[in-house]
């Protein structure tokens, strides 16, 4: 690579952590929360204990509630995003860490108010349909108001909910933050290309894509040593997060933590089972892919550390500029809107791609509603896999762009995780298919198929193992805390269930639970399966695009703009898709299966 990957520019959000505007906005959140709380106490709460006014009067009060809440949330989300963006790229920044901690305390009254509002909406639920018939902000936010009213049945008492909001700052949320600090600040000594270096853990993990088997194996062994050293504090983090989730879900009347996750994802168990039934049926195909890869690599069985090994003519690396041009070219073939958005993201430095100590591993995209922009984090190492990752995260940004372009508010853009991956997977697919079509050299085709299939296998097979893992951890944690070694045993069991004879059973990754941040969110258990949903749903949508061409794009952009205003089952139905039918999921998996067959047929 000839160019250093960029760091992002946050200066148009706030000039710095010392920006007086940031301080003023933080104070404004406190003030606006107090004003909204007074409106609730004097104008809304009394309506639940006496005869309700006319639907027109109720609509007027709901209009004011929605408008004030949107204004407040836009400011709060922007501040939270700005502080997190600073910390995610530099966990050594104590000022940012302290400011985020202070802000989290400052917004507890807002979170408490949201609990009160949800409870109140449940109390006036029967009167809502008539009030929402009147034109105005409430009518435009009917989905949000009705969903909040429905979910009010899973609230503890007001006092208990408020206590939970305060305690999580020192409980589950704090445990999750500790996991982030431990894994982002840790470095490991590693010899690479004749030079001993101190690699941050994301850089060490990324060596699983290195062309040298010797390097990959040593990196895996080094990683195992590091996680062995950190397993006890990280086990404490996991126990803390899952313990809080179990306690609160039980108190809220949930059947279990999966029930809470399904509601957050806006799907039902029938949909989840339809998807996983198709996944289980596809496992033999993926195992054939793993076995085929082992043959290509000259190995009797595939060890974990070669799951992402490159094949074919894959020693090429991309400078960040080359990745940019590749992505822009292929985005342009899909839609001028998509290409223009990506141009803006590159030109205005919305992307932080450099690997460095203190920076979080993996990749994400965060929206910044006050400036109607997004920011993308990745750890770019020049591999084709990272090119696809960059396209993936820009897809999230395009999702935000479609909502902003349509004038959607914070309350209209509360997208479930199941739909949050739609645009990102679509953008990955666009780049993959465009490159695949131009390839005639079997070695090059093997390389790109390998990159695509390794990613798809991770989202289908590995995420199935993560689902099994998390389900078992929840079951055991309900009875007692889990020792670090017990957690690792559960991880190995889940991997063997999912990968079967596709991998060497003696070389798995028992510490996958340590560094995946998805397990450490007390607000969202089972964070992983929505990625499988997103991959297969987007694959199905792409098949429709392949049939309809450019005419598909406006409807697709409208779908992205509407993901916070309807359930996935209803949005999918717009395109003739039934997500409760295993056949739909199987059809998407068949697309991946055809790539496996092509991959195996190359026989190089």
């Amino acid at each position: 690579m000839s160019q250093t990957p960029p760091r992002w520019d946050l200066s148009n959000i706030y000039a710095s952590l010392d920006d007086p505007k940031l301080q003023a906005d933080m104070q404004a959140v406190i003030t606006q929360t107090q004003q909204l709380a007074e409106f609730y106490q004097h104008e809304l709460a009394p309506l639940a204990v006496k005869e309700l006014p006319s639907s027109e009067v109720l609509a007027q009060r709901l209009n004011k509630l929605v408008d004030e809440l949107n204004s407040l949330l836009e400011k709060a989300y922007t501040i939270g995003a700005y502080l997190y963006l600073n910390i995610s790229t530099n966990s050594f920044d104590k000022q940012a860490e302290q400011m985020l901690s202070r802000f989290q305390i400052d917004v507890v009254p807002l979170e408490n108010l949201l609990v009160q509002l949800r409870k109140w909406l449940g109390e006036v639920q029967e009167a809502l349909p008539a009030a929402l018939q009147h034109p105005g902000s409430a009518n435009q936010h009917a989905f949000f108001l009705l969903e909040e009213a429905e979910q009010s049945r899973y609230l503890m008492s007001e006092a208990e909910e408020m206590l939970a909001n305060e305690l999580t700052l020192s409980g589950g949320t704090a445990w999750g933050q500790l996991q982030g600090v431990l894994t982002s600040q840790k470095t490991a000594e590693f010899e690479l290309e004749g030079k001993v270096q101190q690699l941050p853990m994301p850089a060490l993990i990324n060596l699983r894509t290195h062309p040298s088997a010797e390097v990959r194996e040593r990196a895996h062994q080094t990683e195992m040593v590091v996680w062995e050293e950190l397993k006890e504090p990280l086990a404490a983090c996991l126990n803390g997060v899952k313990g809080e989730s179990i306690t609160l879900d039980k108190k809220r009347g949930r059947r279990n933590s999966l029930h809470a996750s399904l509601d957050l994802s806006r799907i039902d168990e029938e949909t989840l089972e339809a998807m996983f039934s198709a996944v289980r049926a596809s496992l033999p195909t993926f195992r054939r892919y793993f076995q085929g890869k082992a043959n290509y690599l000259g190995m009797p069985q595939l060890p974990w550390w070669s799951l992402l090994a490159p094949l074919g003519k894959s020693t090429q690396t991309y400078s960040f500029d080359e990745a940019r041009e590749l992505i822009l070219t292929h985005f342009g073939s899909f839609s001028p809107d998509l290409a223009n958005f990506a141009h803006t993201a590159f030109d205005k430095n919305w992307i932080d791609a450099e690997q460095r100590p203190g920076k979080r591993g993996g990749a994400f995209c965060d929206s910044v509603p006050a400036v109607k922009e997004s920011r993308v984090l990745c750890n770019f190492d020049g591999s084709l896999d990272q090119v696809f990752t960059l396209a993936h995260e820009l897809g999230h940004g395009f999702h935000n762009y479609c909502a902003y372009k349509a004038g959607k508010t914070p309350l209209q853009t509360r997208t479930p995780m199941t739909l949050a991956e739609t645009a990102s997977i679509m953008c990955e697919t666009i780049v993959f298919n465009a490159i695949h079509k131009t390839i005639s050299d079997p070695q090059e085709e093997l390389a790109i198929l390998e990159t695509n299939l390794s990613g798809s296998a991770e989202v289908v097979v590995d995420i199935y193992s993560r689902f099994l893992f998390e389900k078992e951890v929840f079951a055991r944690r309900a009875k007692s805390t889990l020792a670090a070694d017990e957690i690792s045993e559960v991880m190995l069991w889940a991997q063997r269930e999912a990968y079967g004879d596709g991998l060497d059973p003696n070389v798995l990754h028992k510490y996958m639970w340590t560094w995946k941040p998805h397990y450490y969110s007390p607000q969202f258990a089972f964070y992983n399966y929505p990625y499988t949903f997103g991959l297969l749903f987007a694959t199905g949508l792409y098949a429709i695009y392949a049939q309809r061409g450019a005419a598909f794009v406006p409807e697709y952009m409208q779908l992205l703009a509407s993901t916070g205003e309807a359930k996935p089952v209803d949005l999918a139905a717009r395109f003739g898709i039934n997500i409760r039918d295993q056949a739909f999921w199987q059809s998407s998996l068949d697309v991946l299966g055809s790539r496996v067959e092509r991959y195996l047929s190359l026989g190089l």
Side-chain angles (χ1 to χ4, degrees):
M1 292 185 294
S2 60
Q3 181 209 21
T4 301
R7 299 188 181 195
W8 54 33
D9 180 7
L10 307 180
S11 61
N12 71 316
I13 308 170
Y14 296 107
S16 70
L17 292 169
D18 298 316
D19 187 345
K21 185 176 184 299
L22 175 57
Q23 303 301 321
D25 283 351
M26 291 177 75
Q27 180 57 47
V29 168
I30 297 173
T31 302
Q32 287 182 244
T33 299
Q34 293 170 341
Q35 293 170 344
L36 188 57
E38 291 174 5
F39 171 70
Y40 162 74
Q41 292 167 3
H42 299 301
E43 301 292 334
L44 298 181
L47 300 181
V49 295
K50 66 181 182 181
E51 186 176 347
L52 290 174
S54 67
S55 62
E56 185 175 5
V57 172
L58 179 58
Q60 291 171 351
R61 297 191 186 182
L62 288 170
N63 288 341
K64 182 175 181 181
L65 168 64
V66 166
D67 290 340
E68 295 296 325
L69 198 51
N70 272 322
S71 173
L72 176 53
L73 290 177
E74 179 176 281
K75 199 173 264 82
Y77 289 164
T78 299
I79 294 168
Y82 177 76
L83 295 176
Y84 180 72
L85 291 171
N86 275 277
I87 291 172
S88 65
T89 51
N90 183 12
S91 63
F92 299 106
D93 189 336
K94 297 305 177 187
Q95 182 184 6
E97 183 181 311
Q98 290 172 354
M99 289 182 69
L100 180 59
S101 175
R102 170 189 151 194
F103 183 64
Q104 289 172 331
I105 294 172
D106 288 344
V107 298
V108 166
L110 172 57
E111 292 167 351
N112 290 340
L113 178 58
L114 293 174
V115 170
Q116 292 175 310
L117 291 171
R118 176 179 280 187
K119 181 175 181 292
W120 176 77
L121 286 168
E123 292 171 349
V124 301
Q125 186 171 10
E126 291 185 5
L128 288 179
L132 296 176
Q133 293 299 313
H134 296 278
S137 298
N139 170 271
Q140 296 165 4
H141 292 76
F143 181 81
F144 158 74
L145 294 168
L146 292 171
E147 182 178 53
E148 286 295 291
E150 176 65 23
Q151 290 299 309
S152 68
R153 68 175 65 187
Y154 300 115
L155 286 175
M156 299 182 289
S157 71
E158 191 172 297
E160 289 172 319
E161 288 289 352
M162 290 182 176
L163 180 61
N165 285 338
E166 293 186 33
L167 286 179
T168 191
L169 298 181
S170 303
T173 297
W175 285 116
Q177 290 172 338
L178 176 60
Q179 185 270 345
V181 170
L182 290 172
T183 55
S184 67
Q185 293 187 1
K186 184 65 177 177
T187 62
E189 186 177 277
F190 191 79
E191 185 273 318
L192 188 62
E193 297 177 356
K195 181 181 177 182
V196 177
Q197 308 175 42
Q198 283 292 329
L199 292 182
M201 291 309 293
L204 182 70
I205 292 168
N206 277 351
L207 290 176
R208 56 190 175 163
T209 64
H210 197 280
S212 166
E214 186 270 339
V215 170
R216 294 195 305 272
E217 184 173 14
R218 279 196 299 111
H220 178 79
Q221 292 170 346
T222 302
E223 188 187 341
M224 293 298 100
V225 172
V226 172
W227 300 135
E228 176 71 23
E229 294 172 355
L230 290 177
K231 68 180 183 181
E232 295 300 339
L234 291 172
C237 292
L238 190 65
N239 276 297
V241 169
K242 298 312 184 191
E244 178 177 302
S245 294
I246 290 168
T247 299
L248 292 179
D249 286 331
K250 183 177 180 180
K251 289 287 290 183
R252 288 173 176 145
R254 296 286 187 180
R255 296 189 299 275
N256 48 45
S257 293
L258 179 58
H259 176 205
S261 171
L262 290 171
D263 276 2
L264 280 171
S265 296
R266 295 186 184 140
I267 64 172
D268 52 26
E269 289 190 58
E270 184 181 358
T271 300
L272 185 69
E273 180 53 32
M275 183 182 78
F276 273 142
S277 291
V279 165
R280 286 190 289 270
S282 75
L283 291 178
T285 298
F286 281 100
R287 290 167 184 169
R288 290 179 60 233
Y289 153 67
F290 297 132
Q291 292 161 354
K293 181 167 185 174
N295 290 334
Y296 281 134
L297 291 170
M299 298 175 172
Q301 283 185 295
L302 193 66
W304 186 276
W305 46 264
S306 280
L307 262 175
L308 299 181
L311 288 176
K313 288 184 180 177
S314 55
T315 56
Q316 176 188 357
T317 58
Y318 298 80
S319 70
F320 192 79
D321 276 347
E322 290 169 337
R324 166 196 167 111
E325 293 310 310
L326 187 69
I327 287 170
L328 290 176
T329 297
H330 298 315
F331 278 9
S333 69
F334 178 80
S335 159
D337 282 293
L338 177 57
N340 290 338
F341 160 76
H343 262 294
T344 301
F346 284 115
D347 293 345
K348 292 192 174 182
N349 293 324
W350 292 358
I351 302 168
D352 194 300
E354 180 190 45
Q355 299 182 85
R356 58 187 182 274
K359 180 178 175 180
R360 282 228 171 191
F364 69 79
C365 175
D366 208 348
S367 63
V368 191
V371 292
K372 304 295 186 287
E373 295 176 359
S374 298
R375 291 297 184 274
V376 165
L377 177 145
C378 62
N379 286 272
F380 189 79
D381 62 1
S383 66
L384 182 60
D385 179 64
Q386 280 295 309
V387 174
F388 287 140
T389 295
L390 182 55
H392 178 105
E393 298 305 333
L394 286 168
H396 285 301
F398 183 65
H399 194 156
N400 297 334
Y401 163 83
C402 290
Y404 291 142
K405 184 179 181 181
K408 301 298 183 181
T409 67
L411 292 177
Q412 292 171 324
T413 55
R414 302 191 317 161
T415 296
M417 277 289 297
T418 39
L419 295 176
E421 295 302 312
T422 304
S424 54
I425 299 295
M426 179 70 80
C427 284
E428 266 194 88
T429 304
I430 290 166
V431 174
F432 166 77
N433 283 340
I435 296 175
H436 192 207
K437 286 178 182 177
T438 65
I439 292 174
S440 57
D441 183 338
Q443 285 280 354
E444 291 183 4
E445 184 178 10
L446 181 64
I448 190 173
L449 281 172
E450 168 54 39
T451 300
N452 176 266
L453 287 172
S454 62
S456 296
E458 188 168 21
V459 173
V460 176
V461 183
D462 196 61
I463 281 182
Y464 181 56
S465 78
R466 297 181 209 177
F467 177 79
L468 295 175
F469 165 79
E470 197 162 0
K471 192 173 182 181
E472 182 66 16
V473 165
F474 267 116
R476 298 190 187 198
R477 181 63 184 86
K479 301 174 183 177
S480 69
T481 56
L482 283 76
D485 289 342
E486 183 181 3
I487 298 172
S488 293
E489 289 171 7
V490 175
M491 187 87 262
L492 289 174
W493 163 79
Q495 288 170 355
R496 291 184 180 116
E497 287 291 308
Y499 287 94
D501 60 1
L503 297 186
D504 183 341
N506 299 311
V507 192
L508 299 174
H509 195 322
K510 66 180 182 179
Y511 289 130
M512 276 290 285
W513 59 271
T514 59
W515 63 274
K516 283 290 182 185
H518 298 164
Y519 297 126
Y520 297 86
S521 170
Q523 288 78 32
F524 198 153
F526 295 97
Y527 195 99
N528 288 287
Y529 70 79
Y531 286 93
T532 308
F533 186 109
L535 170 65
L536 301 181
F537 183 57
T539 299
L541 284 177
Y542 190 90
I544 297 173
Y545 162 68
Q547 295 173 347
R548 296 183 53 197
F552 166 85
V553 176
E555 292 179 34
Y556 169 67
M557 291 179 65
Q558 186 178 24
L559 167 72
L560 296 180
S562 304
T563 52
E565 300 177 281
K567 291 186 176 182
V569 67
D570 298 319
L571 291 171
R574 295 182 185 179
F575 295 89
I577 295 171
N578 180 5
I579 61 173
R580 294 190 177 114
D581 185 353
Q582 182 179 337
F584 164 70
W585 303 107
Q586 190 60 58
S587 67
S588 291
L589 285 160
D590 287 344
V591 173
L592 305 182
S594 68
R595 294 176 191 165
V596 171
E597 296 307 320
R598 176 60 184 168
Y599 173 91
L600 296 173
S601 73
L602 291 173
L604 301 178

